[in-house]
Amino acid sequence: MAKFLNTSATNYYLEELIKNADDRLILISPFLKLNDKIKELLEDKNRLKIDIRIIYGKSELQPDELNWLKELSYIRTSFCKNLHAKCYINEKSCIITSLNLYEFSQINNNEMGIFVDRDTDSELYKDTYSEAQRIIRISDEVRISLDKVDDEAKEIEQGVATSSTPKLSTSKLAKKNKLKTADFLDLLTQKGYLSFIDEAHVLTNTGIEIGGEAKKSKRFGDYLVWPDSLVFEKG
């Protein structure tokens, strides 16, 4: 029988699901920013040569995340457009949940989920696994190499130029304003240039008017650039 999970139980069962994977592991999460514990567990499974698939859809992969992934030869990563499902599966069990594989969600949000054991709920497990395979089939596999990671990271980190107006990525402009990226995003939200919707920062009409622009990268997903003249005085 399926077991109900609250936030802490979902985190616990997720770690156990990764630990107990002996053959395959599928992690489906729109937002992807792994905490140190999850990374440590996945690194161990990579050493054991377990087949791991990670499918994400809504959050850009930061250069640090990509550089970590490129070192792990048994992890394959795919991008799925319009992904909203959150599901984690090994060959023995699965978790269907509201919890993203995202550090902020695991610490701050109130989540729910169910744990499904293959032996006691074989039909439910089978249906979940089949749908996970369908999502994998419609996803674009991201082949991560050192050169491509460095090139795309440089484009995002250094910013891009649009027409004659120099623009910088959010992280680069945050550094120019002598702020951490998270604090700078909060400031942009307070100013009305961004809205925070479904755990993602979304450009507002006001943000567009002052020169904010949404960009897309096949490997990084969505990211934002701003006029390099957008500087806030402290005070």
Side-chain angles (χ1 to χ4, degrees), residues 205-220:
N205 288 334
T206 304
I208 294 171
E209 288 172 3
I210 59 98
E213 186 178 356
K215 292 284 185 178
K216 283 185 176 291
S217 165
K218 185 175 181 180
R219 290 180 172 79
F220 286 82

Side-chain angles (χ1 to χ4, degrees), residues 56-113:
Y56 70 97
K58 292 185 179 179
S59 178
E60 67 182 46
L61 293 184
Q62 298 296 328
D64 287 348
E65 209 80 12
L66 282 166
N67 283 321
W68 176 78
L69 282 167
K70 74 177 175 58
E71 301 293 338
L72 306 176
S73 25
Y74 288 90
I75 294 182
R76 289 184 289 166
T77 308
S78 299
F79 177 83
C80 182
K81 185 179 179 181
N82 299 324
L83 180 67
H84 201 263
K86 298 99 176 173
C87 183
Y88 312 111
I89 306 172
N90 67 17
E91 69 277 5
K92 305 168 193 149
S93 59
C94 69
I95 297 170
I96 304 168
T97 178
S98 61
L99 179 71
N100 281 291
L101 201 59
Y102 193 77
E103 190 171 18
F104 179 91
S105 302
Q106 292 176 283
I107 296 172
N108 296 282
N109 290 354
N110 293 307
E111 308 284 356
M112 292 185 187

